[in-house]
Amino acid sequence: MQKFYEGLGAEEGGVAQKARVLQTKLNQRLQVLLDKTTPKPVERWISLTVLVFLYFVRVFVLRGFYIVTYGLGIYNLNLLIGFISPQIDPETEGPALPTKSDQEFKPFVRRLPEFKFWRAATKSVLIGFAMTFFPMFDLPVFWPVLLLYWVMLHGDD
């Protein structure tokens, strides 16, 4: 009797097996690329700036995708807040000064490290850029209302 999952490509040489191998190879290539960019923060941030500029040019030329841009802005603002926030809140736990001579004082440890911040921001901009190629994400909104809501939401911080 044949099991229900047989014939779906799980066997050796099947479609699912080939897809897993391809995914593993792509993940390895991505990791090699990320490892090569780790010691080059200036180049990473320049590339993100170029991506953001291209995204805004595309949105300006298309005159749409304001909801996607709004969501992108909120997500990246939350990333920025995580980046500039300390991992340990000094108000509640207090600054941990060293009590012994062999202890090291670390005054500020970020909640979101710089590399993870860059990677998440780059991924979000690439996803937003890809969304501009699909008209189903171009919802009709009056963009000044989104801008006003943005200012009201983040202006009191």
Side-chain angles (χ1 to χ4, degrees):
M1 180 172 165
Q2 185 179 13
K3 296 181 181 174
F4 74 94
Y5 55 83
E6 290 179 359
L8 293 178
E11 66 275 351
E12 189 173 328
V15 176
Q17 178 69 23
K18 290 178 183 177
R20 278 194 297 271
V21 169
L22 180 63
Q23 180 183 9
T24 303
K25 286 181 181 180
L26 289 176
N27 285 339
Q28 288 173 348
R29 287 186 182 180
L30 176 64
Q31 190 60 49
V32 167
L33 180 65
L34 290 174
D35 290 343
K36 287 181 180 179
T37 61
T38 300
K40 301 176 182 179
V42 174
E43 290 86 350
R44 284 189 280 125
W45 287 102
I46 289 172
S47 68
L48 178 61
T49 304
V50 169
L51 279 174
V52 169
F53 178 74
L54 290 174
Y55 174 80
F56 281 125
V57 166
R58 179 156 173 80
V59 168
F60 180 76
V61 168
L62 293 176
R63 303 236 184 249
F65 297 97
Y66 300 121
I67 291 288
V68 174
T69 305
Y70 182 75
L72 192 62
I74 288 177
Y75 180 75
N76 285 319
L77 182 65
N78 286 333
L79 288 176
L80 178 65
I81 290 170
F83 176 68
I84 62 176
S85 299
Q87 189 174 24
I88 298 172
D89 187 14
E91 295 288 327
T92 59
E93 298 182 21
L97 294 174
T99 56
K100 298 177 185 172
S101 63
D102 62 340
Q103 289 180 334
E104 182 180 345
F105 176 62
K106 294 183 180 179
F108 187 77
V109 178
R110 298 183 187 281
R111 188 172 41 167
L112 181 65
E114 181 266 339
F115 184 79
K116 289 184 179 181
F117 174 43
W118 170 81
R119 184 174 180 192
T122 302
K123 188 188 294 187
S124 70
V125 172
L126 287 173
I127 290 171
F129 195 81
M131 289 173 77
T132 63
F133 289 98
F134 300 99
M136 67 182 170
F137 295 115
D138 189 14
L139 301 174
V141 294
F142 188 55
W143 69 265
V145 173
L146 288 178
L147 181 63
L148 179 66
Y149 183 66
W150 171 272
V151 170
M152 291 177 61
L153 185 64
H154 299 293
D156 292 335
D157 294 340

